[in-house]
Coordinates of all heavy atoms in Angstrom, one line a residue:
Chain C
Q459 N -16.4 -12.9 25.8 CA -16.7 -11.7 25.0 C -17.4 -10.6 25.8 O -17.7 -9.6 25.3 CB -17.6 -12.0 23.8 CG -17.0 -13.1 22.9 CD -15.7 -12.7 22.3 OE1 -15.6 -11.5 21.9 NE2 -14.8 -13.6 22.2
L460 N -17.5 -10.8 27.1 CA -18.3 -9.9 27.9 C -17.6 -8.5 28.0 O -16.5 -8.4 28.3 CB -18.5 -10.5 29.4 CG -19.6 -9.8 30.2 CD1 -20.9 -10.1 29.6 CD2 -19.5 -10.3 31.6
E461 N -18.5 -7.5 27.7 CA -17.9 -6.2 27.7 C -18.5 -5.3 28.9 O -17.9 -4.4 29.4 CB -18.2 -5.5 26.4 CG -17.5 -6.1 25.2 CD -17.8 -5.5 23.9 OE1 -18.5 -4.4 23.9 OE2 -17.4 -6.0 22.9
M462 N -19.8 -5.7 29.2 CA -20.4 -4.9 30.3 C -21.1 -5.8 31.3 O -21.9 -6.7 30.9 CB -21.4 -3.9 29.7 CG -22.1 -3.0 30.8 SD -23.0 -1.7 30.0 CE -23.7 -0.9 31.5
L463 N -20.9 -5.6 32.6 CA -21.4 -6.4 33.6 C -22.0 -5.6 34.7 O -21.3 -4.7 35.2 CB -20.4 -7.4 34.2 CG -20.8 -8.3 35.3 CD1 -21.9 -9.3 34.8 CD2 -19.6 -9.1 35.9
S464 N -23.3 -5.8 35.1 CA -23.9 -5.1 36.2 C -24.3 -6.0 37.3 O -24.9 -7.0 37.1 CB -25.2 -4.5 35.7 OG -25.0 -3.7 34.5
I465 N -23.8 -5.7 38.5 CA -23.9 -6.5 39.7 C -24.6 -5.8 40.8 O -24.2 -4.6 41.1 CB -22.5 -7.0 40.2 CG1 -21.8 -7.7 39.1 CG2 -22.6 -7.8 41.4 CD1 -20.3 -8.0 39.4
A466 N -25.6 -6.4 41.4 CA -26.3 -5.7 42.5 C -26.6 -6.7 43.6 O -27.2 -7.8 43.3 CB -27.5 -5.0 42.0
F467 N -26.3 -6.4 44.8 CA -26.6 -7.3 46.0 C -26.2 -8.7 45.7 O -27.0 -9.7 45.9 CB -28.1 -7.2 46.2 CG -28.7 -5.9 46.4 CD1 -29.3 -5.2 45.4 CD2 -28.6 -5.2 47.7 CE1 -29.8 -3.9 45.6 CE2 -29.1 -3.9 47.9 CZ -29.6 -3.3 46.8
A468 N -25.0 -8.9 45.3 CA -24.5 -10.3 45.0 C -23.1 -10.6 45.5 O -22.4 -9.7 45.8 CB -24.5 -10.4 43.4
G469 N -22.8 -11.9 45.6 CA -21.5 -12.3 46.0 C -21.3 -12.4 47.5 O -22.1 -11.9 48.3
N470 N -20.2 -13.1 47.9 CA -19.9 -13.2 49.3 C -18.6 -12.6 49.7 O -18.4 -12.2 50.8 CB -19.7 -14.7 49.6 CG -20.9 -15.5 49.1 OD1 -20.7 -16.4 48.3 ND2 -22.0 -15.2 49.7
S471 N -17.6 -12.5 48.7 CA -16.3 -12.0 49.1 C -15.5 -11.5 48.0 O -16.0 -11.5 46.8 CB -15.5 -13.2 49.7 OG -15.1 -14.0 48.6
D472 N -14.4 -11.0 48.2 CA -13.5 -10.4 47.2 C -13.3 -11.3 46.0 O -13.1 -10.9 44.9 CB -12.1 -10.0 47.8 CG -12.2 -8.7 48.6 OD1 -13.2 -7.9 48.4 OD2 -11.4 -8.5 49.5
K473 N -13.3 -12.6 46.3 CA -13.1 -13.6 45.3 C -14.0 -13.4 44.1 O -13.6 -13.5 42.9 CB -13.2 -15.0 45.8 CG -12.0 -15.5 46.6 CD -12.1 -17.0 46.8 CE -12.8 -17.4 48.0 NZ -12.9 -18.8 48.3
G474 N -15.2 -13.1 44.4 CA -16.2 -12.9 43.3 C -15.7 -11.9 42.3 O -15.6 -12.1 41.1
M475 N -15.4 -10.7 42.8 CA -14.9 -9.6 41.9 C -13.6 -10.0 41.2 O -13.4 -9.7 40.0 CB -14.8 -8.3 42.6 CG -14.5 -7.1 41.8 SD -14.6 -5.6 42.7 CE -13.7 -4.5 41.7
L476 N -12.8 -10.7 41.9 CA -11.5 -11.1 41.3 C -11.7 -12.1 40.1 O -11.0 -12.0 39.1 CB -10.6 -11.7 42.4 CG -9.9 -10.6 43.3 CD1 -9.3 -11.3 44.5 CD2 -9.0 -9.8 42.5
Y477 N -12.6 -13.0 40.3 CA -12.9 -14.0 39.2 C -13.2 -13.2 37.9 O -12.8 -13.5 36.8 CB -14.1 -14.9 39.5 CG -13.8 -15.9 40.6 CD1 -14.8 -16.2 41.5 CD2 -12.6 -16.6 40.7 CE1 -14.7 -17.1 42.5 CE2 -12.4 -17.5 41.7 CZ -13.4 -17.8 42.6 OH -13.3 -18.7 43.6
V478 N -14.0 -12.2 38.1 CA -14.5 -11.4 36.9 C -13.3 -10.6 36.3 O -13.1 -10.6 35.1 CB -15.6 -10.4 37.3 CG1 -15.9 -9.5 36.2 CG2 -16.8 -11.2 37.7
L479 N -12.6 -9.9 37.2 CA -11.5 -9.1 36.7 C -10.4 -9.9 36.0 O -9.8 -9.5 35.0 CB -10.9 -8.3 37.8 CG -11.8 -7.2 38.4 CD1 -11.1 -6.5 39.6 CD2 -12.1 -6.1 37.3
N480 N -10.2 -11.1 36.5 CA -9.1 -12.0 35.9 C -9.6 -12.6 34.7 O -8.8 -12.8 33.8 CB -8.7 -13.1 36.9 CG -7.9 -12.5 38.1 OD1 -7.4 -11.4 38.0 ND2 -8.0 -13.2 39.2
G481 N -10.9 -13.0 34.7 CA -11.4 -13.9 33.6 C -11.9 -13.1 32.4 O -11.7 -13.6 31.2
C482 N -12.5 -12.0 32.5 CA -13.2 -11.4 31.4 C -12.2 -10.4 30.7 O -12.1 -9.2 31.1 CB -14.4 -10.6 31.9 SG -15.6 -11.7 32.7
K483 N -11.6 -10.9 29.7 CA -10.5 -10.1 29.1 C -11.0 -8.9 28.3 O -10.3 -8.0 28.1 CB -9.7 -11.0 28.1 CG -9.1 -12.2 28.8 CD -8.0 -11.8 29.8 CE -7.4 -13.0 30.5 NZ -6.8 -12.6 31.8
K484 N -12.3 -9.0 27.9 CA -12.8 -7.9 27.1 C -13.7 -6.9 27.9 O -14.3 -6.1 27.3 CB -13.6 -8.5 25.9 CG -12.7 -9.3 25.0 CD -13.3 -9.2 23.6 CE -12.3 -10.0 22.7 NZ -12.9 -10.2 21.4
L485 N -13.6 -7.1 29.2 CA -14.5 -6.2 30.0 C -14.2 -4.8 29.8 O -13.0 -4.3 29.9 CB -14.3 -6.6 31.5 CG -15.4 -6.2 32.4 CD1 -16.7 -6.8 32.1 CD2 -15.0 -6.5 33.9
R486 N -15.2 -4.0 29.6 CA -15.0 -2.5 29.5 C -15.7 -1.7 30.6 O -15.2 -0.7 31.0 CB -15.5 -2.0 28.1 CG -14.7 -2.5 26.9 CD -15.0 -1.8 25.6 NE -16.4 -2.1 25.2 CZ -17.4 -1.2 25.1 NH1 -17.1 0.1 25.4 NH2 -18.6 -1.5 24.8
K487 N -16.9 -2.2 30.9 CA -17.6 -1.5 32.0 C -18.1 -2.4 33.0 O -18.7 -3.4 32.7 CB -18.8 -0.8 31.4 CG -18.5 0.4 30.5 CD -19.7 1.1 29.9 CE -20.2 0.4 28.7 NZ -21.3 1.1 28.0
L488 N -17.8 -2.1 34.3 CA -18.2 -2.9 35.4 C -18.9 -2.0 36.4 O -18.3 -1.0 36.8 CB -17.0 -3.6 36.0 CG -17.2 -4.5 37.2 CD1 -18.2 -5.6 36.9 CD2 -15.9 -5.1 37.7
E489 N -20.1 -2.4 36.7 CA -20.8 -1.5 37.7 C -21.3 -2.4 38.8 O -22.0 -3.4 38.5 CB -21.9 -0.7 37.1 CG -22.8 -1.5 36.1 CD -23.8 -0.6 35.4 OE1 -23.5 0.6 35.1 OE2 -24.8 -1.2 35.0
I490 N -21.0 -2.0 40.0 CA -21.4 -2.9 41.2 C -22.0 -2.1 42.3 O -21.5 -1.0 42.6 CB -20.1 -3.5 41.8 CG1 -19.3 -4.2 40.7 CG2 -20.4 -4.5 42.9 CD1 -17.9 -4.7 41.2
R491 N -23.1 -2.6 42.8 CA -23.7 -1.9 44.0 C -24.0 -2.9 45.1 O -24.4 -4.0 44.8 CB -24.9 -1.1 43.6 CG -26.1 -1.9 43.1 CD -27.3 -1.1 43.0 NE -27.8 -0.7 44.3 CZ -28.9 0.0 44.6 NH1 -29.7 0.3 43.6 NH2 -29.2 0.3 45.8
D492 N -23.8 -2.5 46.3 CA -24.3 -3.3 47.4 C -23.8 -4.7 47.4 O -24.6 -5.6 47.6 CB -25.8 -3.2 47.5 CG -26.3 -1.8 47.8 OD1 -26.4 -1.5 49.0 OD2 -26.6 -1.1 46.8
S493 N -22.5 -4.9 47.2 CA -21.9 -6.2 47.2 C -20.7 -6.2 48.0 O -20.0 -5.1 48.0 CB -21.7 -6.6 45.7 OG -22.8 -6.6 45.0
P494 N -20.3 -7.3 48.6 CA -19.2 -7.2 49.6 C -17.8 -7.3 49.0 O -17.0 -8.2 49.4 CB -19.5 -8.5 50.5 CG -20.2 -9.4 49.6 CD -21.0 -8.6 48.6
F495 N -17.5 -6.5 48.0 CA -16.2 -6.5 47.4 C -15.4 -5.4 48.0 O -15.9 -4.2 48.1 CB -16.3 -6.4 45.9 CG -17.2 -7.4 45.3 CD1 -18.1 -7.0 44.3 CD2 -17.1 -8.8 45.6 CE1 -18.9 -7.9 43.7 CE2 -17.9 -9.7 45.0 CZ -18.8 -9.3 44.0
G496 N -14.1 -5.7 48.4 CA -13.4 -4.6 49.1 C -12.0 -4.4 48.5 O -11.8 -4.6 47.3

Side-chain angles (χ1 to χ4, degrees):
Chain C
Q459 302 299 319
L460 195 66
E461 295 178 7
M462 180 169 178
L463 180 62
S464 305
I465 300 171
F467 304 99
N470 310 117
S471 74
D472 285 335
K473 281 198 270 182
M475 186 169 160
L476 283 169
Y477 291 140
V478 171
L479 291 175
N480 289 337
C482 300
K483 301 294 179 205
K484 297 210 176 169
L485 195 64
R486 290 191 298 117
K487 287 179 277 183
L488 181 57
E489 47 187 25
I490 306 173
R491 66 166 293 183
D492 294 276
S493 302
F495 306 135

